[in-house]
Amino acid sequence: MAGQPSNGGAKAGAVKTTTDDAQNGNGSQVGGNGNAWSPSSWQSKPMKQSVSYDDEKAVEKALKKLESLPPLVTAAEVSKLRANLEEVALGKAFLLQGGDCAELFDYCTEEKISAKVKLLLQMSMVLIWGGNIPVVRIGRMAGQYAKPRSSMTEIVDGKEVPSFRGDIINGFDLSERTPDPARLVSAYYHSATTLNFLRGQLSSGFADLHHPFEWTLSHVQSSETKEKYQAIVNSITDTIRFMHTIGADTSSSLGTVDLYTSHEGLLLEYEQGLTRLLRDPTDGNKSKWYATSAHFIWIGDRTRQLDCAHVEFFRGIENPIGIKVGPTMRGEELAKLLDIVNPNKEIGKVTLITRYGADKVNELLPGHIEAVVQAGHTVDYKLTIQCSYRNTRSAPTGVKTRQFDNIMIELSNAHNIHQKCGTHLGGVHLELTADAVTECVGGSENLTDDDLSLNYTTYCDPRLNNKQALEAAFMIAAWYREKA
């Protein structure tokens, strides 16, 4: 934020953007806390994870450019996702959300985008088999360029330098650590390019079930596990083959799928610059504010303070939103937060993304479920709860890693807790990559700490590799089949 210190409690005195609410045919609106809302009203609130730029005029130029550019997503697409997430909230669909921890501009290539989409499609096919319900797919892509940091600086070779905070802010190379406002516009164009390629791929038959993907299970070292996974693959392929034989696969819906985009709505200057007043597809007589940077954005664990800027921005947009819920969240705070961002308790509006770690999920999740139920936000399953994962530790070499078994323990325990509480785990949110990285240990490959150096490429948190991500889908599918 121009002219502001980069500490966690800085006041949001951002450069005034050129968005004029009145020019869009609608001024401010009254939100859940009774106060007027506009795309810029967050600027009056305290700001966490703010960004300090050296060149204020360059910031103004970048933000003005963003405001002149077309929306990245449409109101109709956002409305369709809201309807899909309503089905998830009602237990009629399952939500798969996944992608890179920190998306880089360099990931905007045909090979990397195609590989990630292929992995998400394979995972969703396995989950459809397991739950026997539709799967809603949301990628952490086409915009996941900003990452929150516990510290705004770090020590490298004995020198204090700004922390890498994502390509939308600065570069990982030490020569590029100064925040650069030109990256705001670059983020838009990389998102637009990624979205353009995604839409082209999906509309041209990339996801056509008539051409199922190859399933490689050679990495599975346990013969019993391999046999179990192969049985799932055989069941899926047999079903597709049977549908083709009887002519039941002629529907055009089998030739494509919906894949929505998402990212953490961390950089509010960027989000405001892409917020548009658009016609509501469900009621052409109304116009509503849409954050058109992505179909779905979420509030992180570091920016969910009730009286701060991020909650203020999120309470006014029409998009479905996510909220990260971790060990530091108190039950009463969660209930108040939901009242602010979803005062009308709309089905499909809010997704809670729980992230406790295997060691704390049993202790903390029941209390959060109870707090939400008592606040009236789970009547008729109005709240979707996903399970993310924490479980991060430092390996002997100093790099961060995650244990695959702990991730699956957290997922399994969360699933069981929801069943006991009379609610349901509506989906999973995983940090993953389609690349054969060695960042998380365990899984069928039996990766160990000694293997981390083989292909450790993350610029932020460790991700499941392609084989571990698919294995997670197999295990979740098996749970649902066993409990059916």
Side-chain angles (χ1 to χ4, degrees):
M1 203 163 296
Q4 293 298 313
S6 59
N7 60 66
K11 197 75 174 176
V15 172
K16 175 71 170 137
T17 67
T18 58
T19 297
D20 184 351
D21 299 338
Q23 75 183 9
N24 291 315
N26 189 9
S28 58
Q29 62 190 40
V30 177
N33 61 5
N35 298 323
W37 184 92
S38 73
S40 61
S41 61
W42 63 270
Q43 295 185 21
S44 66
K45 300 287 185 178
M47 180 70 174
K48 302 292 184 181
Q49 297 287 319
S50 59
V51 181
S52 180
Y53 294 103
D54 293 336
D55 189 340
E56 188 169 305
K57 290 185 177 180
V59 177
E60 292 176 341
K61 180 180 179 181
L63 296 180
K64 186 175 181 179
K65 179 64 176 177
L66 284 178
E67 291 170 1
S68 71
L69 292 169
L72 287 171
V73 301
T74 68
E77 291 170 338
V78 172
S79 180
K80 187 174 183 180
L81 176 58
R82 280 282 297 261
N84 290 162
L85 292 179
E86 180 176 343
E87 294 295 292
V88 173
L90 295 170
K92 298 178 181 179
F94 190 84
L95 176 55
L96 170 64
Q97 187 172 9
D100 290 289
C101 170
E103 188 180 11
L104 301 182
F105 292 162
D106 286 346
Y107 295 169
C108 185
T109 68
E110 177 182 358
E111 180 182 2
K112 287 189 176 294
I113 297 171
S114 296
K116 194 178 302 179
V117 173
K118 175 182 176 180
L119 178 58
L120 290 172
L121 292 175
Q122 285 181 305
M123 293 176 70
S124 66
M125 288 177 70
V126 173
L127 293 170
I128 291 170
W129 175 89
N132 199 29
I133 56 175
V135 170
V136 179
R137 307 163 189 86
I138 303 180
R140 286 174 58 117
M141 59 193 306
Q144 180 54 14
Y145 300 125
K147 288 298 295 181
R149 289 299 191 188
S150 299
S151 174
M152 297 300 109
T153 62
E154 62 179 334
I155 304 298
V156 179
D157 297 330
K159 181 181 178 181
E160 185 176 21
V161 298
S163 297
F164 173 59
R165 302 177 63 186
D167 270 357
I168 194 173
I169 297 173
N170 58 1
F172 184 78
D173 190 275
L174 293 180
S175 65
E176 300 177 331
R177 290 297 178 92
T178 300
D180 180 3
R183 288 176 172 268
L184 293 163
V185 179
S186 186
Y188 172 91
Y189 285 117
H190 280 87
S191 296
T193 302
T194 301
L195 271 164
N196 181 63
F197 183 72
L198 273 175
R199 290 177 172 129
Q201 283 281 79
L202 295 176
S203 65
S204 61
F206 184 79
D208 195 338
L209 287 182
H210 298 82
H211 308 287
F213 300 115
E214 294 181 3
W215 304 83
T216 303
L217 300 175
S218 59
H219 65 284
V220 182
Q221 299 181 23
S222 166
S223 58
E224 181 180 352
T225 301
K226 179 180 261 185
E227 183 178 347
K228 184 177 182 179
Y229 293 169
Q230 190 62 55
I232 294 175
V233 171
N234 292 342
S235 179
I236 293 172
T237 53
D238 285 348
T239 299
I240 294 173
R241 188 181 301 113
F242 174 74
M243 291 171 63
H244 178 68
T245 300
I246 65 173
D249 63 344
T250 56
S251 170
S252 60
S253 64
L254 295 178
T256 187
V257 300
D258 291 320
L259 177 62
Y260 301 98
T261 61
S262 68
H263 61 258
E264 180 175 354
L266 184 66
L267 203 57
L268 294 183
E269 295 94 336
Y270 180 79
E271 300 303 336
Q272 178 187 328
L274 290 174
T275 298
R276 304 283 188 268
L277 190 66
L278 303 175
R279 290 290 182 186
D280 180 356
T282 63
D283 186 346
N285 295 320
K286 294 182 179 179
S287 294
K288 297 179 180 179
W289 290 105
Y290 292 82
T292 69
S293 63
H295 303 102
F296 178 103
I297 57 178
W298 70 84
I299 304 174
D301 197 41
R302 294 182 178 91
T303 54
R304 55 168 173 73
Q305 298 79 11
L306 301 181
D307 60 347
C308 287
H310 286 82
V311 171
E312 170 62 22
F313 177 79
F314 273 73
R315 76 178 177 91
I317 58 176
E318 184 66 15
N319 306 59
I321 63 173
I323 300 172
K324 290 287 186 74
V325 180
T328 61
M329 175 81 82
R330 294 176 289 108
E332 58 269 28
E333 180 186 10
L334 176 56
K336 290 179 181 177
L337 179 53
L338 288 171
D339 286 339
I340 293 172
V341 299
N342 191 24
N344 297 323
K345 299 179 173 62
E346 299 174 47
I347 302 175
K349 170 64 178 179
V350 178
T351 295
L352 294 188
I353 307 168
T354 59
R355 51 189 302 275
Y356 306 107
D359 59 334
K360 293 186 177 180
V361 61
N362 290 333
E363 172 190 352
L364 298 173
L365 179 56
H368 282 149
I369 292 174
E370 181 182 4
V372 174
V373 170
Q374 289 182 350
H377 282 274
T378 54
V379 176
D380 297 327
Y381 297 105
K382 291 183 179 177
L383 189 67
T384 304
I385 300 184
Q386 290 188 73
C387 186
S388 182
Y389 56 87
R390 201 172 175 90
N391 306 306
T392 305
R393 64 174 177 83
S394 292
T397 57
V399 300
K400 292 191 292 185
T401 188
R402 286 167 169 150
Q403 180 73 41
F404 179 82
D405 288 346
N406 288 340
I407 295 169
M408 300 315 299
I409 287 171
E410 180 179 0
L411 283 167
S412 178
N413 288 350
H415 178 66
N416 293 333
I417 290 168
H418 279 291
Q419 286 197 319
K420 292 177 182 178
C421 292
T423 55
H424 67 279
L425 181 65
V428 291
H429 182 131
L430 301 172
E431 291 178 350
L432 55 83
T433 175
D435 298 332
V437 300
T438 53
E439 298 169 2
C440 294
V441 297
S444 292
E445 293 177 285
N446 287 331
L447 295 178
T448 68
D449 287 349
D450 293 335
D451 297 316
L452 295 175
S453 61
L454 296 177
N455 194 24
Y456 193 98
T457 64
T458 184
Y459 287 85
C460 191
D461 292 329
R463 304 159 293 177
L464 295 175
N465 64 30
N466 51 353
K467 297 179 177 64
Q468 291 167 331
L470 189 56
E471 182 174 359
F474 280 130
M475 295 180 71
I476 295 168
W479 295 341
Y480 279 92
R481 279 281 170 157
E482 292 168 1
K483 297 178 184 296

